[in-house]
Amino acid sequence: QSVLTQPPSVSGAPGQRVTISCTGSSSNIGAGYDVHWYQQLPGTAPKLLIHGNNNRPSGVPDRFSGSKSGTSASLAISGLQAEDEADYYCQSYDRSLSGHVFGTGTEVTVL
Amino acid sequence: EVQLSESGGGLAQPGGSLRLSCAASGFTFSGYAMTWVRQAPGKGLEWVSAVSRGGDTTYYAESVKGRFTVSRDNSKNTVFLQLNSLRVEDTAIYYCAKEILVGRSTYFERWGQGTLVTVSS
């Protein structure tokens, strides 16, 4: 049972902008721990997409952006492309659990 | 290029054991903590365990504490996960990942391809 909640699915037409929320609590995101995001294409291992709330590793398109406020964070994908169809997970640290935690995951579908 | 390659997965009976390995290359292995994450079939990601750079400090999720043991051999650039007292609910793909620590936050910069553990009688 994850302590970070994400919507099960979001969808959008090519070129549109979609956002994925990641809702936590005062023991994780609200405690000041950064949020990181991973993309998992079908049948593959997760890949780092955003680290430190809003930083993109080299090679990640600037269509992907992150933000954090209070006990929540968001991932935005602008100019949606067919290749963006994947599962997306947020990740942070929970001081009550003394461990890393992942979000429930969101499936992005390009219509 | 950073590469992580897991091995050791397979079929085990409930109550049985397996030892997973993760061979690393392309970076100074002893300079980074390493983590294990698992994913049950059709489910989300679950952090399992982590080991410090020198191997002297280990961390576990409550779901595996007392049953799994993480270790590393920096001379062989390899991290291990010993799985004991396996349960059906431990069935998952197990990934190893390279940790990056920034301030007091950790993220997983690079992942292996995973190894499948199936626990069934």
Side-chain angles (χ1 to χ4, degrees), chain B residues 95-117:
Chain B
Y95 299 100
C96 69
K98 174 191 173 191
E99 289 194 9
I100 299 293
L101 175 64
V102 178
R104 59 180 190 142
S105 288
T106 296
Y107 61 92
F108 311 125
E109 180 191 60
R110 199 63 62 94
W111 300 58
Q113 84 287 350
T115 187
L116 177 63
V117 170

Side-chain angles (χ1 to χ4, degrees), chain A residues 31 34 36 38 40 45 89 91, chain B residues 39 95 104-106 108 111-112:
Chain A
D34 287 346
H36 320 289
Y38 303 88
Q40 186 175 32
Y89 295 90
Q91 175 249 317
Chain B
Q39 186 171 34
Y95 299 100
R104 59 180 190 142
S105 288
T106 296
F108 311 125
W111 300 58

Side-chain angles (χ1 to χ4, degrees), chain B residues 13-15 41 67 85-92 117-121:
Chain B
Q13 292 191 334
R67 301 188 299 121
S85 302
L86 282 164
R87 305 168 179 169
V88 171
E89 55 265 34
D90 294 322
T91 295
V117 170
T118 303
V119 184
S120 174
S121 55

Side-chain angles (χ1 to χ4, degrees), chain A residues 14 24 26 34 40 49-50 52 54 58 71 83 94-95 99 102 110:
Chain A
S26 58
D34 287 346
Q40 186 175 32
L49 196 65
I50 296 284
N54 57 10
S58 173
T71 58
E83 65 203 52
D94 191 286
R95 63 185 179 188
F102 285 95
V110 181

